[in-house]
Amino acid sequence: GENVEQHPSTLSVQEGDSAVIKCTYSDSASNYFPWYKQELGKRPQLIIDIRSNVGEKKDQRIAVTLNKTAKHFSLHITETQPEDSAVYFCAAPPYSSASKIIFGSGTRLSIRP
Amino acid sequence: ETGVTQSPTHLIKTRGQQVTLRCSSQSGHNTVSWYQQALGQGPQFIFQYYREEENGRGNFPPRFSGLQFPNYSSELNVNALELDDSALYLCASSAELSTDTQYFGPGTRLTVL
């Protein structure tokens, strides 16, 4: 069935280090992969997304990589800062029902000073 | 911040009651999706409306229903409220169907006692 798995569920990194969050999806025809950041009590905010015609996309300290063969995509945050502490969600719409975006279970990222 | 707004911000109801939540989409967006986010979990897709028609539904019972109006604002109605309906209800709007970027509203926190 349609599924998006995300790991790790929690991640703690030293300020200035890099953080990597990984997601796998089940529908090989999925073609759009957004990442959202949700701070406590706030709305999910899109931070980066990638479509299946590219393998990597960067925006300053944030990058997303996509491996369509393995059906996984990853979020990379470099030079982490305290304001990066939040819950991060990956998402993917199954091609068979593209209106229905399925979210991963989330990764709680903590940046240690 | 996105141009997506939701009302009310918070709501307390008792079991068996009915509730209506409202969402105004971002200017230029004709698609609204609704999600339920339980504490500590990722958003779960309820349904999507495109140009006033339902365009996809998640695994939610029929007591969850919706509407979209000609100005593309939307309502989520939940009948016969249950304790497990307590959650943050998010709407997201996008410019077109499915794999266009979705922008979330601030959410309505529903508590069912």
Side-chain angles (χ1 to χ4, degrees), chain A residues 14-69:
Chain A
Q14 193 75 33
E15 182 178 350
D17 287 351
S18 296
V20 180
I21 303 170
K22 297 182 180 181
C23 285
T24 60
Y25 58 97
S26 57
D27 188 337
S28 58
S30 293
N31 56 13
Y32 173 64
F33 307 93
W35 284 91
Y36 287 85
K37 174 184 179 182
Q38 189 174 28
E39 297 177 59
L40 193 61
K42 296 193 174 180
R43 74 187 79 191
Q45 287 191 301
L46 180 77
I47 55 172
I48 196 166
D49 56 14
I50 192 168
R51 296 184 188 273
S52 59
N53 56 343
V54 297
E56 184 176 3
K57 183 177 177 181
K58 285 185 180 179
D59 182 3
Q60 299 183 350
R61 298 186 296 108
I62 294 173
V64 56
T65 58
L66 172 64
N67 183 326
K68 287 219 68 174
T69 303

Side-chain angles (χ1 to χ4, degrees), chain B residues 51-113:
Chain B
R51 298 193 178 193
E52 303 178 60
E53 298 283 335
E54 185 179 292
N55 178 58
R57 188 179 182 93
N59 296 325
F60 281 82
R63 60 188 184 84
F64 285 78
S65 63
L67 280 174
Q68 188 177 32
F69 300 99
N71 67 354
Y72 304 128
S73 66
S74 178
E75 285 183 355
L76 165 65
N77 299 291
V78 187
N79 294 323
L81 283 167
E82 301 177 358
L83 297 180
D84 285 350
D85 295 333
S86 295
L88 180 68
Y89 288 85
L90 295 159
C91 74
S93 76
S94 54
E96 281 292 337
L97 286 173
S98 59
T99 56
D100 252 15
T101 302
Q102 295 193 359
Y103 297 94
F104 282 88
T108 293
R109 172 73 61 189
L110 173 65
T111 302
V112 182
L113 302 176

Side-chain angles (χ1 to χ4, degrees), chain B residues 5 13 16-17 19-20 34 42 44 54 58 75 86 95 97 103:
Chain B
T5 60
K13 292 284 189 178
Q17 285 189 309
V19 68
T20 298
W34 285 93
Q44 299 291 312
E54 185 179 292
E75 285 183 355
S86 295
L97 286 173
Y103 297 94

